[in-house]
Amino acid sequence: MPTLTLAIPDSALSALRRSPTELGRELKLAAAIHWYGRGLMSQERAAELAGMNRRDFLHTLAHEGVDVFVVDDDSLARESSGG
C-alpha cells in the first residue's frame, strides 16, 4: 500500500487539538466523504479509504448530513425514462 507524507504545521495540530495520528484519520475520512459525495468513489472504496466497513461509513455519512446515495443527472434521467 502506498504511503503519503504530508507536512502539517504544528500550529494546525495545536489549533485542532489533534495528534498527527488523529488528524491523519480525519483527513482520510474527509477525503473519502468528499470523493464519494462527488461520485468519484463507490461506497465500498470510500469506506476502505476511511478505514471503515461499509455499514460504519454509511452511518458516518448520515451523521455528517451527507447524502447516503449519490445520484447524478445521467442516472436520474435513465431512471425517469424507464431505462
Side-chain angles (χ1 to χ4, degrees):
M1 176 182 319
T3 300
L4 177 65
T5 303
L6 297 173
I8 305 292
D10 289 334
S11 59
L13 292 172
S14 178
L16 294 169
R17 297 181 182 187
R18 301 288 191 273
S19 72
T21 301
E22 291 170 323
L23 185 61
R25 275 194 301 264
E26 288 185 24
L27 287 171
K28 286 178 16 176
L29 176 59
I33 290 171
H34 173 76
W35 290 325
Y36 171 72
R38 294 190 65 198
L40 299 173
M41 285 188 132
S42 68
Q43 286 177 358
E44 183 179 356
R45 292 294 162 245
E48 180 180 34
L49 174 62
M52 302 177 161
N53 62 44
R54 191 167 168 219
R55 185 195 76 219
D56 290 343
F57 183 67
L58 291 174
H59 178 76
T60 301
L61 289 175
H63 183 263
E64 294 294 324
V66 177
D67 287 335
V68 172
F69 298 103
V70 176
V71 179
D72 60 26
D73 291 337
D74 293 335
S75 297
L76 190 56
R78 281 193 303 275
E79 288 292 322
S80 356
S81 68

